[in-house]
Amino acid sequence: MRSENNLAEQIEKVALEEPADETNSNEVTVEGNSVEKKKKKKKNNKKKKGGINQFFPDGVFPEGEWQEYTGSEENLRRVTDEEKRYLDRQANNKWNEFRKGAEIHRRVRQTAQKNIKPGMTMIEVAESIENSVRAYSGTDDSLKGGMGFPCGVSLNHCAAHYTPNAGDKVVLQYDDVMKVDFGVHVNGHIIDCAWTQTFNERYDPLLNAVKEATNTGIKTAGIDVRMTDIGEAVEEVMESYEVELDGKIFPVKCIRNLQGHNIKPYQIHGGKSVPIVKNGDTTKMEEGETFAIETFGSTGKGYVVHGGECSHYMKNLDAPPNAPIRLDRAKKLMQAIDKNFGSLPFCRRYLDRIGEEKYLLALNQLCRAGLITEHPPLVDVKGCYTAQYEHTILLHPTRKEVVSRGDDY
């Protein structure tokens, strides 16, 4: 079995590196446990990336997990309603692009879960994931596909928005609780999905609490469902758990000021929030919307504040008109951000990657002018542990699709 898995990995590596099509005249042959790649002369010697498309030559990507709507009689009839089914088919291209991003996410995280080990630096963890996403996306145009937002690798009491900046020396430890949160986008359709990586089994009750709470949120969500009702269901499940650490019992608390959200094209936070506690918000989910259902549990206070050096940034879509930019360097940096990221979140390492140098002063000016927003790490009390699970759901006219669902979670 092991040799078969290794063989599959080798074949996948070959396919990712070079597409086998008629123009390149490449052949991949398998003999025993070896993979041989035969190359013929090519008109263009430039190496191309095949990406995930190599595994789906018809361009149709796997559907996620389907769940039927509950509640009103209208919702119960949706799955057989001809008009709703027609509307659903009209959006097939959009659904398929979400599914492509979800398939990339599943493959990348499957490899990450197997390969991430204590002793790796946080830069190694984050960049191995990000480089895999880019390879599977098969495009060098970051606005057509690739990272939907930087790979978060928040540790222990840090719940979200930590990704290492250049020079970060933090090393992953056996007793760490790491939230791995990364996005994949295809033409602006973003998959937002996360899990918690641990090596010590003592954290399992914490992870189980958050995983079950997220699944409860997904099950409760749907067209015409009120946000507060989702939060109430999540809170009831999450806070029924407790975890024993070093002989002391800790109740698992919802991190009440972290929430899920809707997703719009090229916009990771679309304006609606999905609470993980009952909060009285009567805003409803609507047909055709996309949501990231995410929950966070903590052994601490269940409340986060800003803490640590900022790494995450994003263009402000509500920026003041004609905001003054005094430095020419800041103007050029803004142009580079628009060209490479648009309204997608980015981090300092991404600026390094596109060749920007000595940009901190200019970046700070853009933030002060309100053109760029900062998103520093979010931390609970030091010494506690936090966990996260998240999926992207699509509210089809007929049913809801947990598009990022995998065999892992």
Side-chain angles (χ1 to χ4, degrees), residues 238-253:
M238 179 90 75
E239 302 199 347
S240 68
Y241 279 81
E242 56 186 23
V243 56
E244 182 178 351
L245 299 173
D246 300 324
K248 186 175 180 181
I249 302 296
F250 295 88
V252 179
K253 299 177 183 177

Side-chain angles (χ1 to χ4, degrees), residues 182-391:
F182 69 94
V184 180
H185 89 91
V186 178
N187 291 321
H189 295 118
I190 305 170
I191 294 296
D192 188 355
C193 188
W195 80 96
T196 299
Q197 183 96 4
T198 58
F199 309 99
N200 192 328
E201 294 179 355
R202 71 179 190 150
Y203 302 115
D204 286 356
L206 173 62
L207 272 59
N208 291 337
V210 182
K211 190 183 300 183
E212 186 180 348
T214 296
N215 285 330
T216 298
I218 291 168
K219 183 178 179 181
T220 308
I223 296 170
D224 292 333
V225 174
R226 303 187 309 171
M227 300 300 181
T228 187
D229 295 336
I230 299 172
E232 182 178 10
V234 167
E235 183 178 14
E236 181 179 355
V237 169
M238 179 90 75
E239 302 199 347
S240 68
Y241 279 81
E242 56 186 23
V243 56
E244 182 178 351
L245 299 173
D246 300 324
K248 186 175 180 181
I249 302 296
F250 295 88
V252 179
K253 299 177 183 177
C254 294
I255 301 182
R256 59 188 181 276
N257 59 331
L258 290 180
Q259 302 177 320
H261 49 90
N262 68 321
I263 302 172
K264 293 181 178 179
Y266 292 102
Q267 191 176 349
I268 188 61
H269 285 214
K272 288 185 177 181
S273 296
V274 186
I276 61 174
V277 295
K278 183 179 180 179
N279 70 347
D281 184 359
T282 58
T283 303
K284 293 182 178 180
M285 293 182 165
E286 298 177 64
E287 180 180 306
E289 290 185 316
T290 301
F291 282 91
I293 304 296
E294 59 183 322
T295 73
F296 295 82
S298 174
T299 63
K301 290 184 176 179
Y303 190 87
V304 291
V305 296
H306 292 157
E309 182 180 59
C310 186
S311 56
H312 283 61
Y313 301 84
M314 187 166 60
K315 183 178 179 180
N316 184 7
L317 296 178
D318 298 316
N322 302 318
I325 307 178
R326 295 186 299 274
L327 296 176
D328 286 340
R329 180 69 183 90
K331 293 178 183 178
K332 291 180 180 178
L333 180 62
M334 191 69 215
Q335 291 171 356
I337 290 170
D338 281 332
K339 178 182 177 181
N340 290 278
F341 316 120
S343 55
L344 295 171
F346 61 95
C347 64
R348 293 188 196 176
R349 285 184 295 104
Y350 290 10
L351 294 176
D352 300 334
R353 186 173 180 273
I354 63 173
E356 293 295 325
E357 298 178 345
K358 299 178 180 179
Y359 53 75
L360 279 180
L361 180 63
L363 182 60
N364 288 336
Q365 190 191 33
L366 293 176
C367 292
R368 288 194 300 270
L371 296 172
I372 299 294
T373 56
E374 298 176 286
H375 301 274
L378 297 169
V379 300
D380 202 332
V381 292
K382 197 166 185 179
C384 78
Y385 296 96
T386 61
Q388 172 197 17
Y389 278 91
E390 177 179 23
H391 275 298

